[in-house]
Coordinates of all heavy atoms in Angstrom, one line a residue:
M1 N 184.5 76.2 126.4 CA 183.2 76.6 127.0 C 182.5 75.4 127.5 O 182.6 74.3 126.9 CB 182.4 77.3 125.9 CG 181.1 77.9 126.4 SD 180.3 78.8 125.1 CE 179.4 79.9 126.1
L2 N 181.8 75.6 128.6 CA 181.1 74.5 129.3 C 180.1 73.7 128.4 O 180.1 72.5 128.5 CB 180.4 75.0 130.5 CG 179.7 74.0 131.4 CD1 180.6 72.9 131.9 CD2 178.9 74.7 132.5
K3 N 179.4 74.5 127.6 CA 178.4 73.8 126.8 C 178.9 72.8 125.8 O 178.2 71.8 125.4 CB 177.4 74.8 126.1 CG 178.0 75.5 124.9 CD 176.9 76.4 124.3 CE 177.4 77.0 123.0 NZ 177.4 76.0 122.0
R4 N 180.2 72.9 125.4 CA 180.8 71.9 124.5 C 181.0 70.6 125.2 O 181.1 69.6 124.5 CB 182.1 72.4 124.0 CG 182.0 73.5 123.0 CD 183.4 73.8 122.4 NE 183.4 75.2 122.2 CZ 184.5 76.0 122.5 NH1 185.6 75.5 122.9 NH2 184.4 77.3 122.3
R5 N 181.0 70.6 126.5 CA 181.2 69.3 127.3 C 179.9 68.6 127.6 O 179.9 67.5 128.0 CB 181.9 69.6 128.6 CG 183.3 70.1 128.4 CD 184.0 70.4 129.7 NE 185.4 70.7 129.6 CZ 186.2 70.8 130.5 NH1 185.8 70.6 131.8 NH2 187.5 71.0 130.3
L6 N 178.8 69.3 127.3 CA 177.5 68.7 127.6 C 177.1 67.7 126.5 O 177.4 67.9 125.3 CB 176.4 69.7 127.7 CG 176.6 70.7 128.9 CD1 175.5 71.8 128.8 CD2 176.5 70.0 130.2
D7 N 176.4 66.7 126.9 CA 175.8 65.7 125.9 C 174.9 66.5 124.9 O 174.2 67.4 125.3 CB 175.1 64.6 126.7 CG 174.6 63.5 125.8 OD1 173.6 63.7 125.1 OD2 175.3 62.5 125.8
D8 N 174.8 66.0 123.7 CA 174.0 66.7 122.7 C 172.5 66.6 123.0 O 171.7 67.4 122.6 CB 174.2 66.1 121.3 CG 175.6 66.4 120.7 OD1 176.2 67.5 121.2 OD2 176.0 65.7 119.8
D9 N 172.1 65.7 123.9 CA 170.7 65.5 124.3 C 170.3 66.5 125.3 O 169.1 66.7 125.6 CB 170.4 64.1 124.8 CG 170.6 63.1 123.7 OD1 170.4 63.4 122.5 OD2 170.9 61.9 124.0
I10 N 171.3 67.2 125.9 CA 171.0 68.2 127.0 C 170.8 69.6 126.3 O 171.7 70.0 125.6 CB 172.1 68.3 128.0 CG1 172.2 66.9 128.7 CG2 171.8 69.4 129.0 CD1 173.4 66.8 129.7
K11 N 169.6 70.2 126.6 CA 169.4 71.5 126.0 C 170.2 72.6 126.7 O 170.3 72.5 127.9 CB 167.9 71.9 126.2 CG 167.0 71.2 125.2 CD 165.6 71.8 125.1 CE 164.7 71.1 124.2 NZ 165.0 71.3 122.8
K12 N 170.8 73.5 125.9 CA 171.6 74.5 126.5 C 170.7 75.8 126.6 O 170.2 76.3 125.6 CB 172.8 74.9 125.6 CG 173.9 73.8 125.6 CD 173.4 72.6 124.8 CE 174.5 71.6 124.6 NZ 174.0 70.4 124.0
V13 N 170.4 76.2 127.8 CA 169.4 77.3 128.1 C 170.2 78.5 128.6 O 170.9 78.4 129.6 CB 168.4 76.8 129.1 CG1 167.4 77.9 129.4 CG2 167.6 75.6 128.6
A14 N 170.0 79.6 128.0 CA 170.5 80.9 128.5 C 169.4 81.6 129.2 O 168.3 81.8 128.6 CB 171.0 81.7 127.3
V15 N 169.6 82.0 130.4 CA 168.6 82.6 131.3 C 169.0 84.1 131.4 O 170.1 84.5 131.8 CB 168.6 82.0 132.7 CG1 167.5 82.7 133.5 CG2 168.3 80.5 132.6
C16 N 168.0 85.0 131.0 CA 168.2 86.4 131.0 C 167.0 87.2 131.6 O 165.9 86.6 131.6 CB 168.4 86.9 129.6 SG 169.8 86.3 128.7
I17 N 167.3 88.4 132.1 CA 166.2 89.3 132.5 C 166.1 90.4 131.5 O 167.1 91.1 131.3 CB 166.5 89.8 133.9 CG1 166.6 88.7 134.9 CG2 165.4 90.8 134.3 CD1 167.1 89.1 136.3
S18 N 165.0 90.5 130.8 CA 164.7 91.6 129.9 C 165.9 91.8 128.9 O 166.5 92.9 128.9 CB 164.3 92.9 130.6 OG 163.2 92.6 131.4
P19 N 166.4 90.8 128.2 CA 167.6 91.0 127.3 C 167.3 92.0 126.2 O 166.2 92.1 125.7 CB 167.8 89.6 126.8 CG 166.5 89.0 126.7 CD 165.7 89.5 127.9
S20 N 168.4 92.6 125.8 CA 168.4 93.5 124.6 C 168.3 92.6 123.4 O 168.6 91.4 123.4 CB 169.6 94.4 124.6 OG 170.8 93.6 124.4
V21 N 168.0 93.2 122.2 CA 167.9 92.5 121.0 C 169.4 92.0 120.7 O 169.5 90.9 120.2 CB 167.4 93.4 119.8 CG1 167.5 92.7 118.5 CG2 165.9 93.8 120.1
E22 N 170.3 92.8 120.9 CA 171.7 92.5 120.6 C 172.2 91.3 121.5 O 172.8 90.4 121.0 CB 172.7 93.7 120.9 CG 172.4 94.9 120.0 CD 171.2 95.7 120.4 OE1 170.7 95.6 121.5 OE2 170.8 96.5 119.5
L23 N 171.8 91.3 122.8 CA 172.2 90.1 123.6 C 171.5 88.9 123.1 O 172.1 87.8 123.1 CB 171.8 90.4 125.1 CG 172.2 89.3 126.1 CD1 173.6 88.9 126.0 CD2 171.7 89.7 127.5
A24 N 170.2 89.0 122.8 CA 169.5 87.8 122.3 C 170.1 87.2 121.0 O 170.3 86.0 120.9 CB 168.0 88.1 122.1
A25 N 170.5 88.1 120.1 CA 171.2 87.7 118.9 C 172.5 87.0 119.2 O 172.9 86.0 118.6 CB 171.4 88.9 118.0
R26 N 173.3 87.5 120.2 CA 174.6 86.9 120.5 C 174.4 85.5 121.1 O 175.1 84.6 120.8 CB 175.3 87.8 121.5 CG 176.6 87.4 121.9 CD 177.6 87.6 120.9 NE 178.9 87.1 121.3 CZ 179.7 86.2 120.7 NH1 179.4 85.8 119.5 NH2 180.9 85.9 121.2
I27 N 173.3 85.4 122.0 CA 173.0 84.1 122.6 C 172.7 83.1 121.5 O 173.2 81.9 121.5 CB 171.9 84.2 123.6 CG1 172.4 85.0 124.9 CG2 171.3 82.9 124.0 CD1 171.3 85.4 125.8
S28 N 171.9 83.5 120.5 CA 171.6 82.6 119.4 C 172.8 82.2 118.6 O 173.0 81.1 118.3 CB 170.6 83.3 118.5 OG 170.2 82.5 117.4
D29 N 173.7 83.2 118.4 CA 174.9 82.9 117.6 C 175.9 82.0 118.4 O 176.7 81.3 117.7 CB 175.7 84.2 117.3 CG 174.9 85.1 116.3 OD1 174.0 84.6 115.6 OD2 175.3 86.3 116.3
L30 N 175.8 82.0 119.7 CA 176.7 81.1 120.5 C 176.2 79.7 120.5 O 176.9 78.8 121.0 CB 176.8 81.6 121.9 CG 177.6 82.9 122.1 CD1 177.5 83.5 123.5 CD2 179.1 82.6 121.8
G31 N 175.0 79.4 120.0 CA 174.6 78.0 119.8 C 173.7 77.5 120.9 O 173.5 76.3 121.1
F32 N 173.1 78.4 121.8 CA 172.2 77.9 122.8 C 170.9 77.4 122.1 O 170.6 77.9 121.0 CB 171.8 79.1 123.7 CG 172.9 79.4 124.7 CD1 174.0 80.2 124.4 CD2 173.0 78.7 126.0 CE1 175.0 80.5 125.3 CE2 174.0 79.0 126.9 CZ 175.0 79.9 126.6
D33 N 170.2 76.5 122.7 CA 169.0 75.9 122.2 C 167.8 76.8 122.6 O 166.8 76.8 121.9 CB 168.8 74.5 122.7 CG 169.9 73.6 122.3 OD1 170.2 73.5 121.1 OD2 170.5 73.0 123.2
V34 N 167.9 77.4 123.8 CA 166.7 78.1 124.4 C 167.2 79.4 125.0 O 168.2 79.4 125.6 CB 166.0 77.2 125.4 CG1 164.9 77.9 126.1 CG2 165.6 75.9 124.9
L35 N 166.3 80.4 124.8 CA 166.5 81.7 125.6 C 165.4 81.8 126.5 O 164.2 81.9 126.1 CB 166.6 82.9 124.6 CG 166.6 84.2 125.2 CD1 167.8 84.4 126.2 CD2 166.6 85.3 124.2
Q36 N 165.6 81.6 127.8 CA 164.6 81.8 128.9 C 164.6 83.2 129.4 O 165.6 83.7 129.9 CB 164.9 80.8 130.0 CG 163.9 80.9 131.2 CD 164.3 79.9 132.3 OE1 164.6 78.8 132.0 NE2 164.2 80.3 133.5
I37 N 163.5 83.9 129.2 CA 163.4 85.3 129.5 C 162.5 85.5 130.7 O 161.3 85.2 130.8 CB 162.9 86.1 128.3 CG1 163.9 85.9 127.1 CG2 162.8 87.6 128.7 CD1 163.4 86.6 125.9
H38 N 163.1 86.2 131.7 CA 162.4 86.7 132.9 C 162.2 88.2 132.6 O 163.1 88.9 132.0 CB 163.2 86.6 134.2 CG 163.4 85.1 134.6 ND1 162.7 84.5 135.6 CD2 164.1 84.2 134.0 CE1 163.1 83.3 135.7 NE2 164.0 83.0 134.7
G39 N 161.0 88.8 132.9 CA 160.8 90.2 132.7 C 160.3 90.4 131.3 O 159.5 89.6 130.8
D40 N 160.6 91.6 130.7 CA 160.1 92.0 129.4 C 160.7 91.3 128.3 O 161.9 91.0 128.3 CB 160.2 93.5 129.3 CG 159.4 94.3 130.4 OD1 158.4 93.8 130.8 OD2 159.9 95.3 130.8
I41 N 159.9 91.1 127.2 CA 160.5 90.6 126.0 C 160.2 91.6 124.9 O 159.1 91.9 124.6 CB 159.8 89.2 125.6 CG1 159.9 88.2 126.7 CG2 160.3 88.7 124.3 CD1 159.2 86.9 126.4
N42 N 161.3 92.0 124.2 CA 161.2 92.9 123.1 C 160.6 92.2 121.9 O 161.1 91.1 121.6 CB 162.6 93.5 122.8 CG 162.6 94.5 121.7 OD1 162.0 94.4 120.7 ND2 163.4 95.6 121.9
N43 N 159.6 92.7 121.2 CA 159.0 92.1 120.1 C 160.0 91.8 119.0 O 159.8 90.8 118.2 CB 157.8 92.9 119.5 CG 156.6 92.8 120.4 OD1 156.4 91.8 121.1 ND2 155.9 93.9 120.4
K44 N 161.1 92.5 118.9 CA 162.1 92.3 117.8 C 162.8 90.9 118.1 O 163.2 90.3 117.2 CB 163.1 93.4 117.8 CG 162.5 94.7 117.2 CD 163.5 95.8 117.2 CE 162.9 97.1 116.7 NZ 163.8 98.2 116.6
I45 N 162.9 90.6 119.4 CA 163.5 89.3 119.7 C 162.6 88.2 119.2 O 163.0 87.2 118.6 CB 163.7 89.1 121.2 CG1 164.8 90.1 121.7 CG2 164.1 87.7 121.6 CD1 165.0 90.2 123.2
L46 N 161.3 88.3 119.4 CA 160.3 87.3 118.9 C 160.3 87.2 117.4 O 160.2 86.1 116.8 CB 158.9 87.6 119.4 CG 158.8 87.6 121.0 CD1 157.4 88.0 121.3 CD2 159.1 86.2 121.5
D47 N 160.5 88.3 116.7 CA 160.6 88.4 115.3 C 161.8 87.7 114.7 O 161.7 87.0 113.7 CB 160.5 89.8 114.7 CG 159.1 90.4 115.0 OD1 158.1 89.6 115.2 OD2 159.0 91.6 115.0
M48 N 162.9 87.8 115.4 CA 164.2 87.2 114.8 C 164.2 85.7 115.1 O 164.7 85.0 114.3 CB 165.4 87.9 115.4 CG 165.7 87.7 116.8 SD 167.2 88.5 117.3 CE 167.6 87.6 118.7
K49 N 163.8 85.3 116.2 CA 163.6 84.0 116.7 C 164.4 82.9 115.9 O 163.9 82.1 115.1 CB 162.1 83.6 116.6 CG 161.7 82.4 117.3 CD 160.4 82.5 117.9 CE 159.9 81.4 118.7 NZ 159.9 80.1 118.1
H50 N 165.6 82.8 116.3 CA 166.5 81.7 115.8 C 166.6 80.5 116.7 O 167.0 79.5 116.3 CB 167.9 82.2 115.5 CG 167.9 83.3 114.4 ND1 168.4 84.5 114.6 CD2 167.4 83.3 113.2 CE1 168.3 85.3 113.6 NE2 167.7 84.5 112.7
I51 N 166.2 80.8 118.0 CA 166.2 79.7 119.0 C 164.8 79.7 119.7 O 164.0 80.7 119.5 CB 167.3 79.9 120.0 CG1 167.2 81.2 120.8 CG2 168.7 79.8 119.3 CD1 168.2 81.3 121.9
Q52 N 164.5 78.7 120.4 CA 163.3 78.6 121.2 C 163.3 79.7 122.3 O 164.4 80.0 122.8 CB 163.1 77.3 121.9 CG 162.8 76.1 121.0 CD 162.5 74.9 121.8 OE1 162.3 74.9 123.0 NE2 162.6 73.7 121.1
I53 N 162.1 80.3 122.5 CA 162.0 81.3 123.6 C 161.0 80.7 124.6 O 159.9 80.3 124.3 CB 161.3 82.6 123.0 CG1 162.1 83.1 121.8 CG2 161.2 83.6 124.1 CD1 163.4 83.8 122.1
W54 N 161.5 80.7 125.9 CA 160.7 80.3 127.0 C 160.5 81.6 127.9 O 161.4 82.3 128.2 CB 161.4 79.3 127.9 CG 161.6 77.9 127.3 CD1 161.1 77.5 126.1 CD2 162.3 76.9 127.8 NE1 161.5 76.2 125.8 CE2 162.2 75.8 126.9 CE3 163.1 76.7 129.0 CZ2 162.9 74.6 127.1 CZ3 163.7 75.5 129.2 CH2 163.6 74.4 128.3
K55 N 159.2 81.8 128.2 CA 158.9 82.9 129.1 C 158.7 82.5 130.5 O 158.0 81.5 130.8 CB 157.6 83.6 128.6 CG 157.0 84.6 129.5 CD 157.8 85.8 129.6 CE 157.2 86.9 130.5 NZ 158.1 87.7 131.3
A56 N 159.5 83.1 131.4 CA 159.4 82.7 132.8 C 158.3 83.6 133.5 O 158.3 84.8 133.3 CB 160.7 82.9 133.5
I57 N 157.4 83.0 134.3 CA 156.4 83.7 135.0 C 156.6 83.5 136.4 O 156.7 82.3 136.9 CB 155.0 83.2 134.5 CG1 154.8 83.4 133.0 CG2 153.9 83.8 135.4 CD1 153.6 82.8 132.5
N58 N 156.7 84.6 137.2 CA 156.9 84.5 138.6 C 155.6 84.5 139.3 O 154.7 85.3 139.0 CB 157.8 85.7 139.1 CG 159.1 85.7 138.5 OD1 159.8 84.6 138.5 ND2 159.6 86.8 138.0
I59 N 155.4 83.6 140.3 CA 154.2 83.4 141.0 C 154.6 83.7 142.5 O 155.5 83.1 143.0 CB 153.6 82.1 140.9 CG1 153.2 81.9 139.4 CG2 152.4 81.9 141.8 CD1 152.5 80.5 139.1
K60 N 153.8 84.6 143.1 CA 154.0 85.0 144.5 C 152.8 84.5 145.3 O 151.7 84.7 144.9 CB 154.3 86.4 144.6 CG 155.5 86.9 143.9 CD 155.7 88.4 144.0 CE 156.9 88.8 143.3 NZ 157.1 90.2 143.1
G61 N 153.1 84.0 146.5 CA 152.0 83.7 147.3 C 151.4 82.3 147.0 O 151.9 81.5 146.2
E62 N 150.3 82.0 147.6 CA 149.6 80.7 147.5 C 148.8 80.7 146.2 O 148.1 81.6 145.9 CB 148.8 80.4 148.7 CG 148.1 79.0 148.7 CD 147.3 78.8 149.9 OE1 147.5 79.5 150.9 OE2 146.5 77.9 149.9
I63 N 148.8 79.5 145.5 CA 148.0 79.4 144.3 C 146.8 78.5 144.7 O 147.0 77.3 145.1 CB 148.8 78.7 143.2 CG1 150.0 79.6 142.8 CG2 147.9 78.5 142.0 CD1 151.0 78.9 141.9
K64 N 145.6 79.0 144.6 CA 144.4 78.2 145.0 C 143.8 77.6 143.8 O 143.1 76.6 143.9 CB 143.4 79.1 145.7 CG 144.0 79.7 146.9 CD 142.9 80.4 147.7 CE 143.6 81.1 148.9 NZ 143.3 80.6 150.2
E65 N 144.1 78.1 142.6 CA 143.5 77.6 141.3 C 144.5 77.9 140.2 O 145.1 78.9 140.1 CB 142.2 78.3 141.1 CG 141.4 77.8 139.9 CD 140.1 78.5 139.8 OE1 139.4 78.8 140.8 OE2 139.7 78.8 138.6
A66 N 144.6 76.9 139.3 CA 145.5 77.1 138.2 C 144.9 78.2 137.2 O 143.7 78.3 137.0 CB 145.6 75.8 137.4
P67 N 145.8 79.1 136.7 CA 145.3 80.1 135.8 C 144.7 79.4 134.6 O 145.2 78.4 134.1 CB 146.6 80.8 135.4 CG 147.6 80.4 136.4 CD 147.2 79.1 136.9
K68 N 143.6 80.0 134.1 CA 142.9 79.5 132.9 C 143.5 79.9 131.6 O 143.4 79.2 130.6 CB 141.4 79.9 133.0 CG 140.7 79.3 134.2 CD 139.2 79.6 134.1 CE 138.4 79.0 135.2 NZ 139.0 78.5 136.4
K69 N 144.2 81.0 131.6 CA 144.8 81.5 130.4 C 146.0 82.4 130.7 O 146.0 83.2 131.6 CB 143.7 82.4 129.6 CG 144.2 83.0 128.3 CD 143.1 83.8 127.7 CE 143.7 84.5 126.5 NZ 142.7 85.5 125.9
F70 N 147.0 82.2 129.9 CA 148.2 83.1 130.0 C 148.2 84.0 128.8 O 147.9 83.6 127.7 CB 149.5 82.3 130.0 CG 149.8 81.5 131.2 CD1 149.6 80.2 131.3 CD2 150.2 82.2 132.3 CE1 149.8 79.5 132.4 CE2 150.5 81.5 133.5 CZ 150.3 80.1 133.5
D71 N 148.5 85.3 129.0 CA 148.5 86.3 127.9 C 149.9 86.3 127.4 O 150.8 87.1 127.7 CB 148.1 87.6 128.4 CG 148.1 88.7 127.3 OD1 147.9 88.3 126.2 OD2 148.2 89.9 127.7
I72 N 150.2 85.3 126.5 CA 151.5 85.3 125.8 C 151.4 85.2 124.3 O 150.3 84.8 123.8 CB 152.4 84.1 126.4 CG1 151.7 82.8 126.1 CG2 152.7 84.2 127.8 CD1 152.5 81.6 126.3
S73 N 152.4 85.5 123.7 CA 152.5 85.4 122.2 C 152.5 84.0 121.8 O 153.1 83.1 122.4 CB 153.7 86.2 121.7 OG 154.0 85.9 120.4
K74 N 152.0 83.7 120.6 CA 152.1 82.4 120.0 C 153.5 82.1 119.6 O 153.9 81.0 119.2 CB 151.2 82.3 118.8 CG 149.7 82.3 119.2 CD 148.8 82.1 118.0 CE 147.4 82.2 118.5 NZ 146.4 82.1 117.5
K75 N 154.4 83.1 119.6 CA 155.8 82.9 119.3 C 156.6 82.4 120.5 O 157.8 82.1 120.3 CB 156.4 84.2 118.8 CG 155.8 84.7 117.5 CD 156.4 86.0 117.0 CE 155.8 86.4 115.7 NZ 156.4 87.7 115.3
I76 N 156.0 82.3 121.6 CA 156.7 81.7 122.8 C 156.5 80.2 122.8 O 155.5 79.7 122.6 CB 156.0 82.3 124.1 CG1 156.0 83.8 124.2 CG2 156.6 81.6 125.3 CD1 157.4 84.4 124.4
D77 N 157.7 79.5 122.9 CA 157.7 78.1 122.8 C 157.4 77.3 124.1 O 157.0 76.2 124.1 CB 159.1 77.6 122.3 CG 159.3 78.1 120.9 OD1 158.6 77.8 120.0 OD2 160.3 79.0 120.8
G78 N 157.6 78.0 125.2 CA 157.3 77.3 126.5 C 157.2 78.3 127.6 O 157.6 79.5 127.5
L79 N 156.6 77.9 128.7 CA 156.5 78.7 130.0 C 157.3 78.0 131.1 O 157.3 76.8 131.2 CB 155.0 78.7 130.4 CG 154.1 79.5 129.5 CD1 152.7 79.4 130.0 CD2 154.5 81.0 129.4
V80 N 157.9 78.8 131.9 CA 158.6 78.3 133.1 C 157.9 79.0 134.2 O 157.9 80.2 134.3 CB 160.1 78.7 133.0 CG1 160.8 78.3 134.3 CG2 160.8 78.1 131.8
I81 N 157.4 78.2 135.1 CA 156.7 78.8 136.3 C 157.8 78.8 137.4 O 158.4 77.8 137.8 CB 155.5 77.9 136.8 CG1 154.6 77.7 135.6 CG2 154.8 78.5 137.9 CD1 154.0 78.9 135.0
D82 N 158.0 80.0 137.9 CA 159.0 80.3 138.9 C 158.3 80.8 140.2 O 157.5 81.7 140.1 CB 160.0 81.3 138.4 CG 161.3 81.5 139.3 OD1 161.5 80.6 140.1 OD2 162.0 82.4 139.0
A83 N 158.6 80.2 141.3 CA 157.9 80.6 142.6 C 159.0 80.6 143.7 O 160.0 80.0 143.7 CB 156.8 79.6 142.9
A84 N 158.6 81.4 144.7 CA 159.5 81.5 145.9 C 159.5 80.3 146.7 O 158.5 79.5 146.6 CB 159.0 82.7 146.7

């Protein structure tokens, strides 16, 4: 598998769109460091949390001012800002 060839200092990130609880568990079992989720996050995934969870937020159009607050769970470890 490709991730075995990567340096230990490189985070292994699995990128998914609205993954099922079963898929998230499989990703964790495979040894990924981070699960980056676009779309919906099942609360059961946040409860099992064996790896870091990053929430991807899609931004469309021009940004005139930085958002003051994101409505995310404290169980989310990071945000990924994705734009066109």
Side-chain angles (χ1 to χ4, degrees):
M1 183 175 208
L2 178 62
K3 73 178 192 68
R4 284 188 220 141
R5 293 182 172 189
L6 296 176
D7 187 283
D8 289 339
D9 293 334
I10 298 173
K11 287 195 181 283
K12 288 77 172 172
V13 180
V15 179
C16 296
I17 299 172
S18 305
S20 67
V21 173
E22 295 79 15
L23 178 58
R26 183 74 178 127
I27 288 168
S28 179
D29 291 344
L30 286 171
F32 284 88
D33 300 305
V34 178
L35 173 56
Q36 178 180 318
I37 300 177
H38 295 252
D40 298 326
I41 302 176
N42 186 315
N43 285 331
K44 291 180 182 178
I45 293 172
L46 296 175
D47 291 340
M48 69 177 205
K49 195 146 182 304
H50 298 124
I51 62 175
Q52 289 187 18
I53 305 285
W54 292 352
K55 171 65 178 147
I57 298 173
N58 296 315
I59 297 180
K60 297 177 182 171
E62 184 178 340
I63 301 171
K64 298 189 187 249
E65 185 177 320
K68 294 185 179 13
K69 179 182 173 185
F70 287 104
D71 184 21
I72 61 169
S73 166
K74 291 181 181 178
K75 295 180 181 180
I76 302 290
D77 298 294
L79 294 174
V80 175
I81 307 300
D82 192 11

